[in-house]
Amino acid sequence: MKAKLLSVAVALVALAAAPAQAFADSGAPGGFQAGVQSANTGQVAGGLAISDQNAVNANVPVSIAGGNVSSGPSSATQTATSNANADVSNKAKTDQDQTLNQNVGGSGCYAGCGGAGGFQAGIQDAQTQQAAIGIAKSDQNAVNANVPVSIAGGNVSSGPSSATQTASSTATTDVSNKAKTDQDQTQTQNVGGGSCKAGCGGAGGFQAGIQKSDTQQAAIGIAKSDQNAVNANVPVSIAGGNVSSGPSSATQTASSTANADVSNKAKTDQDQTLTQNVGSGCGCDGKVGRDGKDGCYAGCGGAGGFQLGIQKAETDQLALGVAKSDQNAVNANVPVSIAGGDVRSGSSSATQTATSNANADVSNKAKTDQEQTLTQNIGGSSSCKAGCGGPGGFQVGVQKAETNQWALGVAKSDQNAVNGNAPVSIAGGNISSGPSSATQTATSSANADVSNKAKTDQDQTLSQNIGGSSCHAGCGGAGGFQAGVQLAQTNQWALGIAKSDQNAVNSNTPHSVAGGNIYDGSSSATQRATSSAATDVANKAKTDQNQWQDQRLGVARI
């Protein structure tokens, strides 16, 4: 497509440079307009979500007795959840607006007038390419078990055993590409002449507007959450005598979360306006000169004007976000009572939480604006007496804006946490245990936030007024030249890596071993192990270019 557009542009310029055909008598006015537009929008989105779960939820009270066993209620609420979510979205909007307006004409001609010539060429090429890949993988191997066992050669009276156990593994990736490419091009050209008396050459005007907008976005989001969690509440009572167990309660939670949010939002605007008014500089435009007369008297050459506006905007964005959370957590509350005599156990309660979080948020937001305005007024209202050459004007405005952004965010959280509350009572005599309570928390967090925000603005205005006054013999027209060249390059690269490794053991383990009586008081432990790694990398670039050129040329010839 680029080669085709280039060939069309070369052909248009060749046509503009070709010599005009001579006409006998009145030459017909000639006007040429060519508008070429090419819009290519390609979107590729792939979303993969895999949730693997091997979960065992078991509540197995077992009573075996050579004597009587009176078991209280056993209640267990067990939940194992594995979630993998991948949301991939591509939203591309490409707008191309091109308006060509050309008025070429002349009024009455008296002798061999050359026709007015006008040329306009508008070429636009907008390419928007988006690729988004979102992968979310959640692996979970969770065992939730509440297994009260009563074995007695005597009587066993067990109190209630309650366990609320939750193992959750979540992997979420959200990848979004939102590209908006707007190209506006307006060309207005008025070329004309009024009455001609003898062999007046026609006015000539040329305008060429070329725009190219290339927007490429690539976003990859990977979220991986691996969890191997065991939540167990196992009160066991073994007695050759009587065992009276109090309630045992455990609330155990193991959670592994990996989130990757990758977003590319590119907006590229190109505005180009070409306005050219070309009229004859020797009275052939129908205007009244200083001598109070209208018309051309001998071989007046027409005015010539040239305008060329070229714009190129290229926006490249690549964002990669990886979040990985690995957790191997064991939460255990295991009160055990073994007695050759009486054991009276108090309540044992444990609240245990092991959490591993890895978050990577990578965002690229690029905005590239290019505005170019070329205004050229060429003409003269004076009378020409003999062979006056018309004024000539030339304007060139070239703009190039290139914005490149690359962002990598990696967050890795590894945790191997064991939370244990295991009161054990072994006695040849009586043991009366008080309550044992433990609140244990192990947390490993890794956060990487990488952001690139680039804004590139280019403004260019060229204004040129060229004219001349009365001429009596062979006066050459005024000549003006303006060239405005702008180049804006914005390059951003951001790397954010956060790594949190934790191997934490939180243990509250009261043991009672007695050949006599043991009266244990309460045992309480609040334990916390936290490992955090956070990195915030931001590149915010703003490039502004403003250029104004104003030129007025006038010659007074008498």
Side-chain angles (χ1 to χ4, degrees), residues 433-456:
S433 298
S436 176
S437 177
T439 301
Q440 295 168 333
T441 302
T443 301
S444 175
S445 296
N447 295 316
D449 188 359
V450 181
S451 178
N452 282 326
K453 295 180 180 179
K455 182 180 180 182
T456 304

Side-chain angles (χ1 to χ4, degrees), residues 1 5 35-41 93-99 122-128 180-186 210-214 268-271:
M1 182 58 67
L5 290 176
V36 180
Q37 285 183 328
S38 175
N40 188 2
T41 302
K93 182 180 179 181
T94 303
D95 291 331
Q96 281 185 334
D97 295 325
Q98 190 180 60
T99 302
I123 299 173
Q124 284 183 331
D125 185 9
Q127 289 185 353
T128 302
K180 183 180 180 181
T181 303
D182 291 331
Q183 281 186 334
D184 295 325
Q185 190 180 61
T186 302
I210 299 173
Q211 284 184 332
K212 181 181 178 182
S213 177
D214 192 357
T268 303
D269 291 330
Q270 282 185 334
D271 296 324

Side-chain angles (χ1 to χ4, degrees), residues 83-127:
N83 292 322
N85 295 318
D87 188 0
V88 180
S89 176
N90 281 328
K91 295 180 180 179
K93 182 180 179 181
T94 303
D95 291 331
Q96 281 185 334
D97 295 325
Q98 190 180 60
T99 302
L100 299 175
N101 187 14
Q102 191 178 48
N103 293 321
V104 179
S107 59
C109 175
Y110 291 96
C113 305
F119 181 85
Q120 280 187 328
I123 299 173
Q124 284 183 331
D125 185 9
Q127 289 185 353

Side-chain angles (χ1 to χ4, degrees), residues 201-202 279-283 296 298-304 378-380 382-392 466-479 555 557:
S280 69
C282 59
C296 174
C300 306
I378 300 175
S382 62
S383 300
C384 176
K385 304 297 181 178
C388 305
I466 300 175
S469 59
S470 60
C471 173
H472 290 280
C475 305
V555 179
R557 297 184 179 93

Side-chain angles (χ1 to χ4, degrees), residues 7 10 18 21 24 35 48 82 118 127 203 211 219 230 235 259 261 265 328 342 347 414 441 460 467 486 497 514 523:
S7 63
V10 172
Q21 184 179 0
L48 178 63
S82 177
Q127 289 185 353
Q211 284 184 332
V230 177
N259 294 318
D261 188 0
K265 295 180 180 179
N328 192 343
D342 294 332
S347 62
D414 293 330
T441 302
Q460 190 181 61
Q486 285 184 330
I497 298 174
S523 175

Side-chain angles (χ1 to χ4, degrees), residues 97-283:
D97 295 325
Q98 190 180 60
T99 302
L100 299 175
N101 187 14
Q102 191 178 48
N103 293 321
V104 179
S107 59
C109 175
Y110 291 96
C113 305
F119 181 85
Q120 280 187 328
I123 299 173
Q124 284 183 331
D125 185 9
Q127 289 185 353
T128 302
Q129 296 176 358
Q130 287 178 333
I133 299 175
I135 298 174
K137 186 174 184 289
S138 175
D139 292 332
Q140 187 186 56
N141 192 343
V143 177
N144 290 325
N146 181 24
V147 188
V149 179
S150 299
I151 300 174
N155 294 325
V156 175
S157 299
S158 298
S161 176
S162 177
T164 301
Q165 295 165 332
T166 302
S168 178
S169 176
T170 301
T172 301
T173 178
D174 187 0
V175 180
S176 177
N177 282 326
K178 295 180 180 179
K180 183 180 180 181
T181 303
D182 291 331
Q183 281 186 334
D184 295 325
Q185 190 180 61
T186 302
Q187 298 191 23
T188 302
Q189 191 177 46
N190 293 321
V191 179
S195 59
C196 175
K197 299 300 172 63
C200 304
F206 181 85
Q207 280 186 329
I210 299 173
Q211 284 184 332
K212 181 181 178 182
S213 177
D214 192 357
T215 302
Q216 296 177 357
Q217 286 179 333
I220 299 174
I222 299 174
K224 185 175 183 287
S225 175
D226 292 331
Q227 188 186 57
N228 192 344
V230 177
N231 290 325
N233 181 25
V234 189
V236 179
S237 299
I238 301 173
N242 294 324
V243 174
S244 299
S245 298
S248 176
S249 177
T251 301
Q252 294 165 332
T253 302
S255 178
S256 176
T257 302
N259 294 318
D261 188 0
V262 181
S263 178
N264 282 327
K265 295 180 180 179
K267 182 180 180 182
T268 303
D269 291 330
Q270 282 185 334
D271 296 324
Q272 191 180 59
T273 302
L274 300 175
T275 301
Q276 192 176 47
N277 294 320
V278 180
S280 69
C282 59

